[in-house]
Amino acid sequence: MDKNFQEEQFTGMIKFTPPLYKQRYQFVKDLVGKYKPKKVADLGCADCTLLWMLKFCNCIEVLAGLDTCASVMKEKMHTLSPLPGDYLQPAERSLTVTLHHGSVAHKDPCMLGFDLVTCIELIEHLEESELEKFPEVVFGFMAPTMVVISTPNSEFNPLLPGVTVFRHPDHKFEWDRAQFQSWALDTAKRYDYTVEFTGVGSPPTGMEDVGFCTQIGVFVKKYPQTSKPAQSEKPTEAAYETVFKAVYPSLKDEKYLQNAVVSEVMFTAQVIKQSLLDHLVSEQEKYNDNPTERKFQLQRSVNCFSEDLETQAVEKSTEPFVNGNVVYIPLKKIFSSPKVTRLCGTFEKLCKLITGKVTLSTDGSAVILNTEHENEEN
Ligand code: SAH
């Protein structure tokens, strides 16, 4: 990761809190929070720290990273894999994370269709020939809705003691604001984007003239709906090598949805059963104290408990009831639990997902549980 070590090292005079690299990542996170892109690619992703932060943004369904240095990408790429908790409680959104080994000087169809492309402290690492190709690859070919480019503002360098030439030995250039803005405006104009300038790392009081330590250009495509005429010319041949791919468990996948629905149905049924049994016990205690009410309640119980009327009772009942040592919990009642409704969407879907997975009454309209042996019900 390029933490612009000079910025970090010489804290005697300039100290950024939080550190500047975190402020850059936070800037991207805030932008994601505001515009809610579904597909985000980070070019020059290095050790994937930004990608790791972005995987927690719930709007994102596709995350991709690209870097010419495979070893730095591999350092922490395991942090992009799903954790056991992701399998225990799959998210509603789907998420696929992919890392590619390759250069922003080359076009690859895997980079098409993104909403946001970030290039954080990347362009100053590019050789002249790569920088020349960069606008055509990113804005012309990838053509995402939004591009964020950050780069050092060289006007700030005098405030960073020890910086003689560049902030990092691998930097090929560092631009002042006029240079960056002229390049960005020219690029935006050529590819039908607008661009706005901002930054992170405020200068100290009295030195505001130098501008932000990191300058940022936010590019937005002018006509997002129009399909590019060059679309047909887009290469279909891959130039990058995929070095990592993780598909997160999601409720959009029927097998995870079914597991989630079955456990939620069983949980809801258990809760209903318990409250019904508690209610019956307390009623029973009341009858013992009041013989008249007891007569009335017993009459009601007979209707439910009658063997002959079982099928009819199950079909008609919208409320749970006990018959012998079996508790009937109508599916309609279970479906009315907000969590089950949200998971299934429709009653028909609920029935479909639990068929064969949950013990149901003969007509399939109620979950049946044993009054006593809770752990043997399934
Ligand atoms: N974005 C990260 C890393 C910045 S350092 C951060 O903000 O911390 C620049 C990164 O760009 C390095 O990891 C370097 O390997 C990568 N890089 C350099 N030239 C590249 C190119 N042509 N294509 C893609 N990545 C490149």
Side-chain angles (χ1 to χ4, degrees):
M1 191 193 326
D2 178 7
K3 292 200 176 85
N4 282 349
F5 69 87
Q6 301 285 20
E7 295 159 8
E8 304 297 324
Q9 196 176 338
F10 299 98
T11 52
M13 196 171 165
I14 297 282
K15 180 171 164 55
F16 292 108
T17 322
L20 204 52
Y21 77 97
K22 283 196 182 161
Q23 291 191 37
R24 288 191 283 262
Y25 296 163
Q26 192 57 46
F27 180 87
V28 173
K29 253 195 119 176
D30 291 346
L31 215 61
V32 166
K34 190 169 171 191
Y35 293 101
K36 311 253 181 284
K38 279 191 178 170
K39 296 181 80 181
V40 180
D42 185 28
L43 312 182
C45 63
D47 69 359
C48 310
T49 307
L50 178 59
L51 290 170
W52 176 80
M53 281 176 74
L54 293 178
K55 85 170 187 153
F56 299 99
C57 299
N58 283 330
C59 59
I60 298 178
E61 295 180 359
V62 174
L63 262 180
L66 173 72
D67 207 291
T68 41
C69 185
S71 59
V72 73
M73 266 197 295
K74 285 176 184 173
E75 262 173 38
K76 290 194 204 155
M77 74 182 180
H78 60 275
T79 64
L80 298 174
S81 296
L83 297 168
D86 293 315
Y87 289 97
L88 289 172
Q89 207 163 17
E92 281 186 32
R93 59 132 179 201
S94 60
L95 174 64
T96 303
V97 185
T98 318
L99 295 179
H100 306 279
H101 178 221
S103 168
V104 289
H106 300 130
K107 298 173 182 176
D108 185 302
C110 74
M111 284 292 159
L112 293 174
F114 281 82
D115 302 307
L116 170 66
V117 165
T118 56
C119 307
I120 305 304
E121 307 298 274
L122 165 70
I123 57 169
E124 65 277 9
H125 290 266
L126 301 180
E127 301 285 354
E128 207 178 323
S129 62
E130 294 174 315
L131 185 67
E132 244 170 57
K133 291 179 187 138
F134 175 88
E136 173 50 27
V137 175
V138 175
F139 295 91
F141 174 72
M142 297 181 191
T145 312
M146 189 178 272
V147 180
V148 177
I149 298 181
S150 87
T151 193
N153 164 21
S154 65
E155 290 164 85
F156 201 102
N157 287 359
L159 300 183
L160 301 171
V163 176
T164 45
V165 189
F166 296 139
R167 295 182 196 178
H168 191 281
D170 188 51
H171 286 181
K172 310 298 184 301
F173 60 89
E174 283 177 4
W175 283 336
D176 60 25
R177 281 170 293 174
Q179 287 171 307
F180 176 54
Q181 292 182 15
S182 138
W183 174 86
L185 285 164
D186 179 56
T187 303
K189 193 169 168 213
R190 197 150 18 119
Y191 295 97
D192 279 334
Y193 280 76
T194 59
V195 58
E196 285 186 10
F197 300 100
T198 179
V200 292
S202 300
T205 318
M207 302 196 175
E208 287 82 1
D209 283 356
V210 300
F212 290 110
C213 190
T214 295
Q215 50 184 338
I216 299 175
V218 179
F219 300 74
V220 178
K221 205 180 191 176
K222 274 191 192 158
Y223 315 109
Q225 307 306 344
T226 53
S227 60
K228 284 257 151 196
Q231 198 80 27
S232 55
E233 297 158 26
K234 293 193 168 178
T236 48
E237 230 168 84
Y240 308 155
E241 182 205 354
T242 303
V243 292
F244 173 89
K245 184 167 178 175
V247 179
Y248 277 65
S250 150
L251 296 176
K252 294 225 166 93
D253 180 334
E254 191 95 346
K255 95 174 167 241
Y256 292 112
L257 179 64
Q258 184 171 52
N259 282 344
V261 168
V262 167
S263 35
E264 197 54 37
V265 163
M266 290 314 293
F267 174 75
T268 309
Q270 288 290 354
V271 170
I272 295 172
K273 168 189 144 180
Q274 203 47 56
S275 96
L276 177 66
L277 293 183
D278 290 350
H279 175 73
L280 289 178
V281 166
S282 78
E283 288 294 302
Q284 194 59 50
E285 282 163 2
K286 261 202 256 164
Y287 312 153
N288 295 341
D289 297 345
N290 184 341
T292 327
E293 193 181 339
R294 185 177 177 211
K295 192 176 162 218
F296 168 70
Q297 294 287 357
L298 274 176
Q299 186 61 42
R300 270 179 49 190
S301 302
V302 167
N303 284 344
C304 292
F305 293 170
S306 155
E307 283 281 321
D308 298 343
L309 292 174
E310 185 196 327
T311 314
Q312 211 183 334
V314 171
E315 278 169 6
K316 281 193 177 156
S317 182
T318 51
E319 290 305 318
F321 64 93
V322 180
N323 186 6
N325 62 351
V326 175
V327 188
Y328 289 82
I329 301 137
L331 280 179
K332 286 250 153 72
K333 180 91 183 165
I334 291 174
F335 184 65
S336 69
S337 138
K339 203 161 173 199
V340 176
T341 312
R342 191 165 48 82
L343 280 170
C344 304
T346 64
F347 182 71
E348 290 65 36
K349 183 90 188 210
L350 166 67
C351 298
K352 187 180 160 225
L353 287 168
I354 62 170
T355 302
K357 298 276 173 185
V358 173
T359 313
L360 297 176
S361 56
T362 348
D363 72 335
S365 72
V367 171
I368 52 175
L369 297 180
N370 197 293
T371 48
E372 276 153 32
H373 309 293
E374 295 198 1
N375 297 329
E376 293 166 21
E377 280 147 6
N378 252 334

